[in-house]
Amino acid sequence: MKLPIHCWNEYDELKTVVVCSPPVLEIPDQQTAENVQWLKPFDPAKIVHQFETLVQSMKQEGVQVIDYSEYLSPEDRYFNQQLISRIFVRDLACAFGRTLLPGKAGTSMRKPEYAHSHSVFQKWWDERTFPLQANNKWNSLEYGDVIVLSEDAVLINAGLRTSMESMDDIQHQIRRAGFSEVGVIDLPRRSDTLHLDMNCNVAGERLLLTKNYLRYFPIEVLDGESRYCMFHEFIVRHGFTIIWTDKVKNTVPDINFLTLNPETILVSKKLNKKIIHQVPELRKKNLIEIEISELEKGGGGIRCMTLPLERR
């Protein structure tokens, strides 16, 4: 399969995206959900229907949607279908310009997903485009902790699932891919701040929606050397307008959306509309609302369930 890798930001028109269909196993009760790190049990029929809605919504906007699990070997596919969190493909890899860098699981329960997806990606791209061995020195790096702001700047969180040691190595990989700076933030290690994309997200061209408390955090800027600035200084210096919000009621639907193009955002129906109404720039956006409440019970949203390969 010939698939171009071309992502220099998170707001250009989305052309190609990777997803993974829901598991075949059911979470029957609250105790099981907590044991497997889901928020609640889910309805299997609803979760399949909502995933299909997610896929169709993107296709209707002209996006090529590829389910990587369909390309697994029969043996791997049988095993992969039983992995409860396999829908959250954002963590598995990330496109930096024309290079797709592999992730490394921050928890052992998710390691098989990385192995399976990376085996498929090896078949799609050569070592230059998908350097599988790039993560050999990493302890853990999940790409829900990464936001590609522009070709000048990438923002990464060293949190629960992404180690600071991995930061030290990936910064070189990212700058080799054509990016100027890597900014590292270290957010609280809690379930509601599990990944960076539960705290801020790109909501259009040079537009970043972020929770108010990030105003207090410094950024370590890595550009061959190491220096520091405040979060807002880093973002604004790279040409972004920050939308500060204290209206987040439910982190996943309120923050974890997917920008399809500079004017269109794919959002959960549970999104708190007060976030939109308070900001003129957001009121102008075309919001495509979809019902994904069953999928969100896994603790992730639309962004978590999509891995962009091409934006132009």
Side-chain angles (χ1 to χ4, degrees), residues 123-192:
K123 298 173 185 176
W124 290 351
W125 299 289
D126 59 25
E127 178 67 20
R128 182 176 180 179
T129 303
F130 179 63
L132 181 60
Q133 307 308 316
N135 64 7
N136 280 352
K137 298 179 182 179
W138 305 350
N139 294 330
S140 59
L141 199 156
E142 298 189 351
Y143 286 105
D145 273 323
V146 175
I147 293 180
V148 180
L149 294 171
S150 69
E151 62 187 63
D152 297 320
V154 174
L155 181 62
I156 306 181
N157 173 47
L160 274 172
R161 299 289 181 84
T162 297
S163 71
M164 187 61 76
E165 292 79 9
S166 300
M167 298 295 95
D168 292 337
D169 190 66
I170 194 177
Q171 60 152 320
H172 303 294
Q173 305 276 355
I174 292 172
R175 286 192 281 112
R176 275 198 293 269
F179 295 80
S180 303
E181 289 185 357
V182 176
V184 179
I185 193 168
D186 188 357
L187 297 179
R189 288 158 169 78
R190 304 190 308 260
S191 60
D192 64 328

Side-chain angles (χ1 to χ4, degrees), residues 1-70:
M1 182 183 295
K2 297 292 184 180
L3 294 171
I5 302 296
H6 191 280
C7 282
W8 296 95
N9 58 58
E10 304 211 15
Y11 54 77
D12 280 342
E13 184 174 356
L14 183 62
K15 297 292 188 179
T16 309
V17 70
V18 169
V19 298
C20 185
S21 52
V24 295
L25 295 185
E26 176 184 358
I27 297 179
D29 53 57
Q30 185 60 35
Q31 185 59 60
T32 302
E34 293 175 6
N35 290 341
V36 299
Q37 299 180 340
W38 274 55
L39 303 177
K40 297 178 182 178
F42 64 78
D43 182 318
K46 286 184 179 179
I47 205 171
V48 169
H49 175 70
Q50 290 180 6
F51 176 78
E52 291 173 350
T53 299
L54 170 64
V55 169
Q56 289 305 314
S57 297
M58 291 189 287
K59 286 183 175 180
Q60 287 171 8
E61 293 299 309
V63 181
Q64 180 184 15
V65 183
I66 301 166
D67 186 340
Y68 87 80
S69 67
E70 296 177 359

Side-chain angles (χ1 to χ4, degrees), residues 84-142:
I84 202 67
S85 295
R86 73 183 200 145
I87 55 176
F88 301 124
V89 296
R90 176 71 66 154
D91 300 325
L92 306 177
C94 184
F96 295 95
R98 295 179 175 87
T99 302
L100 187 73
L101 291 179
K104 200 158 191 177
T107 175
S108 59
M109 188 174 182
R110 297 199 62 192
K111 284 183 178 179
E113 302 164 44
Y114 287 72
H116 289 164
S117 62
H118 294 171
S119 70
V120 172
F121 297 164
Q122 273 188 297
K123 298 173 185 176
W124 290 351
W125 299 289
D126 59 25
E127 178 67 20
R128 182 176 180 179
T129 303
F130 179 63
L132 181 60
Q133 307 308 316
N135 64 7
N136 280 352
K137 298 179 182 179
W138 305 350
N139 294 330
S140 59
L141 199 156
E142 298 189 351

Side-chain angles (χ1 to χ4, degrees), residues 136-312:
N136 280 352
K137 298 179 182 179
W138 305 350
N139 294 330
S140 59
L141 199 156
E142 298 189 351
Y143 286 105
D145 273 323
V146 175
I147 293 180
V148 180
L149 294 171
S150 69
E151 62 187 63
D152 297 320
V154 174
L155 181 62
I156 306 181
N157 173 47
L160 274 172
R161 299 289 181 84
T162 297
S163 71
M164 187 61 76
E165 292 79 9
S166 300
M167 298 295 95
D168 292 337
D169 190 66
I170 194 177
Q171 60 152 320
H172 303 294
Q173 305 276 355
I174 292 172
R175 286 192 281 112
R176 275 198 293 269
F179 295 80
S180 303
E181 289 185 357
V182 176
V184 179
I185 193 168
D186 188 357
L187 297 179
R189 288 158 169 78
R190 304 190 308 260
S191 60
D192 64 328
T193 55
L194 178 66
H195 284 140
L196 179 62
D197 61 11
M198 290 180 158
N199 299 270
C200 60
N201 201 352
V202 174
E205 185 170 1
R206 304 283 173 166
L207 199 61
L208 190 76
L209 177 69
T210 181
K211 294 179 181 178
N212 279 349
Y213 84 94
L214 269 68
R215 168 64 180 83
Y216 300 94
F217 279 76
I219 295 281
E220 182 178 6
V221 181
L222 307 176
D223 56 0
E225 298 180 356
S226 177
R227 52 196 168 85
Y228 294 89
C229 66
M230 297 306 292
F231 173 84
H232 65 282
E233 294 171 342
F234 180 81
I235 301 300
V236 171
R237 182 164 57 81
H238 288 290
F240 274 73
T241 297
I242 301 177
I243 300 172
W244 302 101
T245 183
D246 60 357
K247 304 298 183 184
V248 173
K249 292 183 177 180
N250 191 331
T251 289
V252 170
D254 290 348
I255 296 288
N256 204 263
F257 48 78
L258 178 68
T259 297
L260 297 178
N261 59 56
E263 304 305 326
T264 307
I265 307 175
L266 189 61
V267 302
S268 167
K269 278 193 173 180
K270 293 174 67 177
L271 170 72
N272 179 14
K273 300 302 189 299
K274 290 183 179 179
I275 295 174
I276 305 300
H277 296 157
Q278 71 175 354
V279 182
E281 293 95 332
L282 292 181
R283 289 200 298 268
K284 299 174 184 177
K285 300 296 181 185
N286 173 28
L287 299 184
I288 301 174
E289 298 181 48
I290 59 174
E291 176 57 64
I292 55 165
S293 56
E294 293 298 312
L295 291 163
E296 289 172 333
K297 290 177 179 178
I302 297 172
R303 189 182 192 274
C304 294
M305 291 180 276
T306 51
L307 167 54
L309 299 181
E310 183 184 12
R311 288 183 182 271
R312 294 184 187 269

